[in-house]
Amino acid sequence: MEKKKKTTIYDIAKEVGTSAATVSRVLSNSGYPVKDELRNKILEAAKELNYSPNIIGRMLKKNESRDIGVIVPNISNPFFPQLVLGIEQEARKRGYNILLCNSFRDFETERKYIQSLCQKQIGGIILSSVNEDYVFLEEIQQSGVKLVVLDNDSGDLKCNKIGFDYVKGGMMAIDYLVEMGHRDIAFISSPFTKKSRSKAFEGYKLGLYRNNIAFTDEYLMISDIEKEFENTTYEFENGKCMVDRLLRLEKCPTAVFAVNDMTAFGIVQRIINLGLKVPEDISVVGFDNLELSSMINPPLTTINQPSIETGRLASRILIDSMNETRREDISISLEPSLVIRNSVRNLRI
Amino acid sequence: MEKKKKTTIYDIAKEVGTSAATVSRVLSNSGYPVKDELRNKILEAAKELNYSPNIIGRMLKKNESRDIGVIVPNISNPFFPQLVLGIEQEARKRGYNILLCNSFRDFETERKYIQSLCQKQIGGIILSSVNEDYVFLEEIQQSGVKLVVLDNDSGDLKCNKIGFDYVKGGMMAIDYLVEMGHRDIAFISSPFTKKSRSKAFEGYKLGLYRNNIAFTDEYLMISDIEKEFENTTYEFENGKCMVDRLLRLEKCPTAVFAVNDMTAFGIVQRIINLGLKVPEDISVVGFDNLELSSMINPPLTTINQPSIETGRLASRILIDSMNETRREDISISLEPSLVIRNSVRNLRI
DNA sequence: TTGTATGCGTTATCAT
DNA sequence: ATGATAACGCATACAA
């Protein structure tokens, strides 16, 4: 179990009786002309000596890395594995690797990871988090690191952005509910510490408005404490709690719109636990379309946010930008869509 | 948007009027004595010039990396985010970063990732996958890379291993079901392409045996095709299909034991869709204890496999091994536990 | 077509 | 306490 020194191009050069330069030319597929006989000897010796190139040496020389950083709040939130999968698929396709970091929505953690990433001389970062320290991010960019920011309507910062139309998503949910004959619709959410939540709420209100339904204050149910960083099931628990509050209302709504699917899961479970039925007694619409939303009972009607596609797109944009295929920043907003399953009752029949 | 050359220790040295060596001594926290006045000037200049060390240079020189590779089959399978979380928590605590790869249970993909990781001069790999090419892995190890293999009873390969007692888990499930008065218990699974599945089945059989229940061939339900690499919901769909087969049996079992929670989700949903009830008509026990198992209806009784703890342990073992705190390989098997929720009916009352 | 020499940014060795 | 210099492994400009 002794440390076997790794073989370098010099070892191979010595073995074959040529120079390191020639070995490098062959082994790095540089396309540089080398006589076939010699080339073969080098290739042979490389196998023989079990040569594996040291990427670090190459990186130092060429000052380019094939890595891109990805920062997400928490990989345990089922939305993000899908996102990461999309990013990775596209990245691998182009020969890039991803370096994954969980920020836990903590500002300092995120900042440290970004710094650490930069010290590794990565070419770009996909940032799905809440860093609003624009000066910091601008510094990062000026040092040559490309950025794709997800879901952050940071008006000021000039960089690539991929957004999602949460407002429209919220409106679609309400439209559908109204179409199904509902007019008493509650909105259940965790605190508006994320833009996505307040946007969805905005959609809720606009949806009511354009369907001529007055917004009722007591139908807006937001929990008090935000502690999701500790516990992934926070949203779920919150959904459960809010149901209790809901049922204490003098006029109980016929439907609820949840700020996300996890919350909806909690809502559905609590309703059922109480001996009521979804959607017979209360209808529920979620937001996200997690893979698991189709697996619960009843299968959840929800607004789809295209996670994998977002990931792919982010990868593509970042890598293009790193290769300077495109110099101007790009800004895209993805569209929600309604996924009808089984958690909404049609009051019209 | 011009490329601003990054500042190096030489720039700082020039600025301050000292040598690069001294700058390095200060900025790398080497503990080497440098006069306070000079040290401060260097620190100041570093801030001033916005210096950020180039890890690549350091790595090349010191030939050590603070990265560890992690290979999982598919981050979309909800078990793995938890595992990765555990790995990362522990790794960060000790100053290591993780490089995540999805092998999609594909042999060649996995092999390529391992090679790529090694070329990056990482110190170790946590491998949660199915590479059974021992010679390959041995080569890797001989080149100095430490290995922690998860869930792979590769008898031959000498390296760190963390296992899980699937057999015992299976037995616990059956014991519990019997305790609740069940004797007609089916086993539903996807094909035995993973050790965990055949082991769980072994536990199923042993459980029946020690409870004096004869194993019935027709209660063993395994789907025909394995195509999970394409579709994460494969297990779920499979569970649904198998229910149909189950109900065609002349004597329908009172309970089913699912090879994993995802499969159980499908089973539960299909049963309910058919107008039957869980657990009133059919009881279901799962295997894994995904976070979501508590969120479905009814909440799933299942066998817990400690994902986060496994991750933490793997990190700890790998890093210790890299630091040669411990030289001998270690081999641990983690214990299952029963999580009782609401998907099993007590026939005794 | 091949070889020599240099430099990427850092740390370590050896003088001073 | 500080500075000059070599070395890490590789790729490349230049010479031959």
Side-chain angles (χ1 to χ4, degrees), chain A residues 18-19 21-22 25 32 34-35 61:
Chain A
T18 180
S19 72
T22 306
R25 296 198 259 255
Y32 199 94
V34 172
K35 201 180 264 176
K61 175 66 184 168

Side-chain angles (χ1 to χ4, degrees), chain B residues 205-218:
Chain B
K205 278 196 300 189
L206 285 172
L208 292 182
Y209 180 75
R210 78 173 175 191
N211 285 289
N212 300 311
I213 301 173
F215 167 69
T216 315
D217 224 10
E218 58 183 4

